[in-house]
Amino acid sequence: MRVTLVRGDITEQDVDAVVNAANSSLLGGGGVDGAIHRRGGPAILQECRLLRASRYPGGLPTGQAVATTGGELPARWVIHTVGPTYSAAADRSGLLASCFRESLRVADELAAEVIAFPAISTGVYRYPLDEAARIALRAVRDAETDVVEVRFVLFDAKSLAAFEAAHDEVFGA
């Protein structure tokens, strides 16, 4: 598997699947979640509502993942995952790593070869960027998957720099 890091907008990625840093409601929100729902159009929200009415009436649990259409996005699918809120008092690194493992598992079920991830939990969920980057890259490195390329799409220079440093640490410079 190839792991690439780019600065950009995840909603513009021409990949098989983009990962949405969703909230448990699956009904849209701010940050990456809001951007994906706005750009992807109403088809994504429609499928999310169906998921809430059937498989996830209480919302999607933290660390789990589920797919919907990509709607009007260049990507064919959106894989929604709910990252943990950071807590200095509790180790939630396992839940964050699970977001990446479960998203890759769903990607394999879809036969997706190229998948794009954002920096899950580093926005309003306040996960420290450097720590989140190491967790994400280790989880991807250690995952058993048929995905050919994992692309981390980082919104700003600070996030890209954190992921580049973590990449050198996890994969070797």
Side-chain angles (χ1 to χ4, degrees), residues 111-122:
E113 293 185 353
V114 182
I115 181 172
F117 281 102
I120 296 169
S121 285
T122 62

Side-chain angles (χ1 to χ4, degrees), residues 85-92:
T85 300
Y86 180 75
S87 168
D91 180 7
R92 297 188 176 151

Side-chain angles (χ1 to χ4, degrees), residues 67-80:
T68 65
T69 180
E72 297 171 26
L73 294 170
R76 183 170 178 190
W77 297 288
V78 175
I79 299 172
H80 306 266

Side-chain angles (χ1 to χ4, degrees), residues 18-91:
V18 295
V19 176
N20 181 18
N23 63 57
S24 64
S25 77
L26 295 176
L27 302 179
V32 170
D33 194 18
I36 285 174
H37 276 272
R38 282 190 301 278
R39 174 94 190 264
I44 297 171
L45 182 58
Q46 182 179 2
E47 284 193 29
C48 284
R49 285 187 173 135
L50 290 173
L51 286 166
R52 283 298 307 273
S54 59
R55 292 173 51 193
Y56 301 105
L60 183 64
T62 302
Q64 297 301 303
V66 66
T68 65
T69 180
E72 297 171 26
L73 294 170
R76 183 170 178 190
W77 297 288
V78 175
I79 299 172
H80 306 266
T81 191
V82 180
T85 300
Y86 180 75
S87 168
D91 180 7

